[in-house]
């Protein structure tokens, strides 16, 4: 059997399976000499045993096994499989457009103009969109978004980011040279952690991260072989950040590593809390006192819903505390176009503002980001619109403002509804979703179910989430993917499905939880 | 002096310089208590001494000091500075659009339609562009490029990549499950190297890389703290890859590390050679014999100019060698939309095809790429056009084909011109630019200039490149940024400036080289 024949014989992409089927282990080569097919004999160069062991430790539940299974179920449904439900509801990831949210018209107009400048001739595009696109293209090499930009990002866009930050922070100056545009905020977080991780043994960098946390942090720290120094958020106090707990974690961390960086997610992911002004003050003072580098993940800064809550940027509060803080404490803060009211995850746009960095460290950061050439230019362009949106009096202002308020208003309503609905189900409690895009409800899992999960080598919350998916089509992420106090069980669910779908989702959820609880009572 | 006052006093972004000017070291806080301004006293958490030392070792000359200086000169010129030249000619980086190359119309039409679906109503867009955009959007979450895609890339686009590879390789099957879409090819290269680097001491992974090389490889290996095992390309044989030299490098490498991966760049960057079929066969056999993982950087596969040269993919040649090779040798190959005839660097699109991977390693790779969520979706869409271009009979075929042939034809002419012109300058020799986008000429630098460079702690080729920039405005990259045989000096220059600019560039270059040589004789 020659290779050529095998290729011809297989009508589809089944070369490998065909070969596998053609045992015994001796087959003929194209010139009819017997050869080993090698699949059984050849020792791979790269195996899970000899690969980078840090990568093996990486976990990323937001796209973990439950989500993979949800994708498979969706395909089964498409192929006509019989299920107790007709569709998979993806509530696992903060992906607004995938859940039906419409893009902001103005943002898409500006980016389309940048991509295809022939559109400048069209009367269908408003002047303010054309002006912004012209300004961006004027800053692109050769006037094309197809050119690489500066590695740190296009200069006029970094200026717009600095202006945005200044305005947000009540006039406190922002230096465009401190702004690094990124491939989504994740990219900035990873770059900063990379610089921070050094040392060996007890001197190796420890990073203080909230538990529950967004698993980008634990995944990156695993990859860098750094130590996680977890501090627990206070579930009984709406997931507030307790300074005594920070101190406990820090003291504990010092036993095995050198805690050098404190990561804060505000508004919280997966926990949806919004830090109070006093809390931010305390955290900053704690960081300075303990000589910690601050990283504030503020990608949900536009997503604040609960009455009495407001977003307080670490940068602003740092400055309120006077130059002793504002001139000293090293702070990297992150923002993104993937969340907020625009939800443009696919563009991979974001920025990091890094202040008070040692000038030589900043040089190293610039060099590091240059090796990946530049963030996607279309993402930079989309970010520019968010930083420099239509102003009152401009032709697009009214529509832009309406679309923005509509998205945020609906999210606020769904945030309220989510806590209310979960709290109405016996065995589930849910804190107020003050901000971000998620609830992180706590569930009571019956002892018998816990035992069965353990017997199957699953965490009880994964076991629960798996059953929920198979029985209702609802896809959530088990709390163990984010971390939780031992013996407690949670899950993360987004508030992104459309309102009517959310309502039917809660009905399904209630029925499931009741039946699951009964089954294992 | 209160913070508030400082902010008001400064009309521009001069807060920091203002503070620095306001020595002595005691200033007043907003509540008039004297405080240390701290700039002098505060010990930074993160310094170059305690940061990740691997990052410090990273070098990336393509965006190094010469290029930074070129940017500064450009600004000086804008501000009216007197220079012996009127413009900076950037010949340092493979950035076609920045050098005036026009985008491929069809590609931009498809992406614009994806971004702003209102355009489907327009008669200005051809049907085949609409059909492709519709197909891509149909595969996006919520029908929006603003949704995250699968981490491995959008399925229909992976299918198109597989079809493209099959067609390119004369029908050899490609499995879309082996295709990983990336944020530019760089992203794929980094992901694969990350998996491959493991072990300690003499067991730590060594990676065989060509010298001269594209510095992404050395930079990534420095960051991963892996050992570079350099093999020299044969300058006297038009930068061919010599198997004896591979063997020498491998044997040498084994003394200090465990060589596990062989990286090949074909067509070559910065060297512009195209590997012959026989050469690819030898390399594959060498890899198998020595149990090496193969990485083939094939981003210039469409950029082959010289008569008698053709691109031979490693995948195809692997299959020609029969199942002993095609079923066993682990190969990751890379392609990109940044080069070729489209030159869409800013989109950050590319793919990796990884074959014969251990299935568990592939799972690990999938998990790893999931932590950065997904490659930019607009880059994926642009890649799809390159993988699935207009076909004869489709409305856009003629224009597409004309634009493509025009770009590649001009590049071929400039490739020819480049070698011819450099070889006509005494003291410069240049191999035939068979492919890719660069020449890598060798220069004779007078002893006196070498001595002066060394006295200034510069490499002689950086010294030469610095003078060239200051005296002519031509920006090239010194050969030391790519590696070269000790005692030889080179530079990399792109073939991308427009033809008329290339011609004046060569005149400037000749005059400079003559005068530089005279000065230091």
């Amino acid at each position: 059997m020659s290779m050529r024949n095998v290729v011809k014989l297989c009508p589809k992409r089944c070369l490998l399976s065909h070969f596998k089927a053609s045992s015994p282990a001796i087959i003929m080569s194209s010139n009819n000499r017997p050869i080993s097919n090698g699949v059984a004999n050849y020792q791979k160069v790269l195996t899970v045993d000899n690969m980078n062991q840090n990568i093996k430790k990486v976990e990323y539940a937001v796209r973990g096994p439950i989500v993979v299974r949800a994708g498979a179920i969706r395909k089964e449904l498409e192929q006509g499989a019989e299920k107790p439900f007709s569709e998979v509801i993806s509530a696992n990831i903060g992906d607004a457009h995938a859940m039906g949210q419409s893009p902001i018209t103005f943002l898409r107009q500006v980016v389309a103009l940048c991509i295809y400048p022939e559109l400048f001739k069209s009367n269908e595009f408003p002047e303010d969109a054309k002006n912004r696109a012209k300004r961006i293209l004027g800053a692109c090499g050769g006037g094309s978004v197809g050119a690489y930009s500066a590695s740190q990002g296009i200069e006029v866009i970094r200026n717009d980011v600095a202006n945005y930050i200044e305005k947000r922070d009540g006039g406190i100056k922002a230096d465009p040279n401190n702004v690094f545009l990124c491939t989504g905020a994740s990219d900035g977080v990873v770059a900063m952690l990379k610089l921070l991780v050094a040392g060996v043994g007890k001197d190796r960098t420890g990073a203080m991260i909230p538990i529950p946390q967004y698993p980008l942090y634990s995944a990156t720290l695993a990859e860098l072989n750094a130590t996680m120094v977890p501090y627990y958020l206070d579930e009984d106090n709406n997931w507030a950040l307790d300074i005594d707990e920070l101190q406990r974690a820090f003291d504990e961390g010092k036993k095995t590593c050198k805690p050098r960086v404190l990561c804060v997610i505000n508004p919280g992911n997966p926990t949806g809390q919004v830090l109070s002004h006093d809390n931010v003050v305390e955290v900053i003072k704690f960081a300075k006192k303990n000589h910690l580098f601050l990283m504030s993940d503020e990608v949900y800064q536009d997503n604040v819903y609960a009455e009495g809550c407001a977003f307080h940027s670490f940068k602003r509060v740092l400055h309120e505390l006077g130059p002793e803080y504002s001139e000293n404490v090293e702070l990297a803060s992150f923002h993104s176009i993937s969340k907020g009211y625009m939800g443009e995850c696919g563009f991979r746009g974001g920025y990091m503002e890094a202040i008070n960095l040692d000038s030589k460290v900043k040089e190293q950061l610039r060099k590091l980001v240059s090796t990946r050439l530049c963030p996607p230019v279309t993402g930079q362009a989309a970010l520019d619109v968010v930083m420099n949106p239509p102003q009152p009096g401009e032709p697009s202002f009214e529509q832009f403002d309406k679309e923005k308020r509509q998205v945020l208003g609906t999210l606020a309503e769904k945030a309220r509804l989510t806590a209310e609905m979960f709290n109405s189900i016996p065995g589930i409690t849910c804190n107020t979703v003050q901000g971000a895009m998620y609830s992180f409800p706590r569930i009571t899992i019956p002892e018998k179910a816990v035992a069965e999960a353990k017997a199957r080598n699953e965490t009880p919350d994964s076991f629960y989430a798996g059953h929920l998916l198979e029985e209702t089509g609802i896809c959530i992420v088990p709390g163990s993917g984010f971390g939780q106090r031992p013996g407690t069980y949670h899950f993360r669910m987004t508030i992104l499905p459309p309102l009517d779908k959310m309502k039917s989702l809660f009905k399904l959820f209630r029925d499931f939880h009741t039946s699951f609880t009964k089954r294992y009572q």
Side-chain angles (χ1 to χ4, degrees), chain A residues 349-390:
Chain A
Y351 74 78
M352 159 168 73
E353 185 193 20
I355 60 170
N356 292 326
L357 253 58
D358 178 282
S359 62
K360 284 181 182 160
V361 169
K362 204 151 90 177
E363 264 171 47
Q364 293 290 329
L365 177 59
R366 286 218 180 87
K367 183 189 68 180
L368 176 64
V369 300
S370 79
T371 63
R372 55 107 170 96
L373 295 161
C374 69
V377 175
T378 46
Q380 296 185 49
L383 173 68
D384 193 54
V385 176
V386 178
M387 297 293 110
N388 180 22

Side-chain angles (χ1 to χ4, degrees), chain A residues 4-312:
Chain A
R4 212 162 287 273
N5 282 344
V6 172
V7 173
K8 275 188 193 150
L9 279 167
C10 295
K12 288 205 174 161
R13 302 181 186 290
C14 59
L15 182 60
L16 244 158
S17 59
H18 198 98
F19 258 96
K20 275 182 187 152
S22 70
S23 25
I26 304 298
I27 56 170
M28 305 302 256
S29 78
S30 53
N31 49 15
N32 273 337
R33 274 178 299 140
I35 54 163
S36 152
N37 79 5
V39 174
N41 304 331
Y42 188 80
Q43 174 65 47
K44 298 281 179 196
V45 175
L46 186 62
T47 69
V48 275
D49 295 324
N50 69 21
M51 66 174 273
N52 185 335
Q53 297 300 299
N54 294 335
I55 305 283
K56 265 174 83 176
K57 290 182 290 173
V58 167
E59 285 181 22
Y60 192 68
V62 174
R63 298 209 152 186
I66 295 274
V67 184
V68 174
R69 176 69 191 133
I73 291 179
R74 191 172 281 122
K75 281 207 170 165
E76 289 172 22
L77 283 172
E78 279 166 18
Q79 287 156 9
E82 285 281 326
K83 300 271 176 193
F85 50 88
S86 59
E87 64 166 335
V88 171
I89 305 178
S90 294
N92 58 296
I93 189 166
D95 190 357
H97 290 201
M99 288 287 92
Q101 184 182 305
S102 295
I104 299 290
T105 305
F106 184 75
L107 185 151
R108 293 300 187 92
Q109 285 173 332
V110 173
V111 181
L113 283 157
C114 288
I115 300 262
Y116 192 56
E118 275 291 305
L119 294 171
F120 278 96
K121 294 179 195 154
S122 163
N123 297 324
E124 306 286 318
F125 285 75
E127 278 310 305
D128 47 356
K130 287 182 182 174
N131 290 338
R132 276 173 182 71
K134 202 175 287 170
R135 185 158 161 273
I136 294 167
L137 289 177
C140 288
S144 168
V145 292
Y148 291 120
S149 76
S151 300
Q152 200 174 338
I154 293 172
E155 192 174 344
V156 301
I157 301 182
R158 286 192 288 112
N159 291 340
D160 288 347
V161 171
N163 287 331
Y164 166 89
I165 295 172
E166 281 184 19
K167 209 168 157 184
R168 180 197 72 187
D169 289 344
I172 291 162
K173 290 290 166 195
D175 181 346
N177 291 315
N178 291 336
V179 172
F180 290 77
L181 307 191
C182 317
T183 308
S186 305
D187 175 46
V189 169
V190 171
M192 205 62 240
L193 286 174
K194 267 186 192 172
L195 287 181
L196 278 157
V197 173
V200 288
K202 274 191 68 175
D203 251 356
R204 186 116 184 118
T205 296
M208 301 189 69
I209 60 169
I211 297 293
Q213 54 115 21
Y214 175 54
L216 169 69
Y217 292 90
S218 52
T220 307
L221 294 170
E223 196 184 320
L224 294 169
N225 197 24
T227 304
M228 277 203 283
V229 179
Y231 63 89
Y232 287 103
L233 300 174
D234 185 1
E235 182 164 17
D236 296 337
N237 196 10
N238 217 95
W239 300 113
L241 203 168
D242 178 46
I243 299 300
D244 292 341
E245 167 60 12
L246 272 187
Q247 189 67 54
R248 181 207 61 76
F250 181 76
D251 294 340
E252 187 67 26
K254 276 199 295 188
K255 294 178 189 163
T256 55
C257 66
K258 188 177 168 62
R260 295 178 80 196
V261 51
L262 171 55
C263 303
V264 180
I265 310 174
N266 179 43
N269 176 6
T271 37
Q273 85 284 22
V274 177
L275 295 190
S276 71
H277 186 276
D278 285 357
N279 215 180
V280 177
V281 169
E282 286 179 307
V283 172
I284 292 172
K285 289 188 168 172
F286 177 87
K288 180 158 189 296
K289 189 183 99 193
N290 294 292
H291 206 238
L292 294 167
F293 191 108
L294 259 173
M295 285 176 58
S296 62
D297 182 336
E298 299 177 337
V299 301
Y300 298 99
Q301 58 190 267
D302 284 328
N303 299 97
V304 176
Y305 317 116
E307 225 167 292
C309 288
F311 170 70
H312 306 282

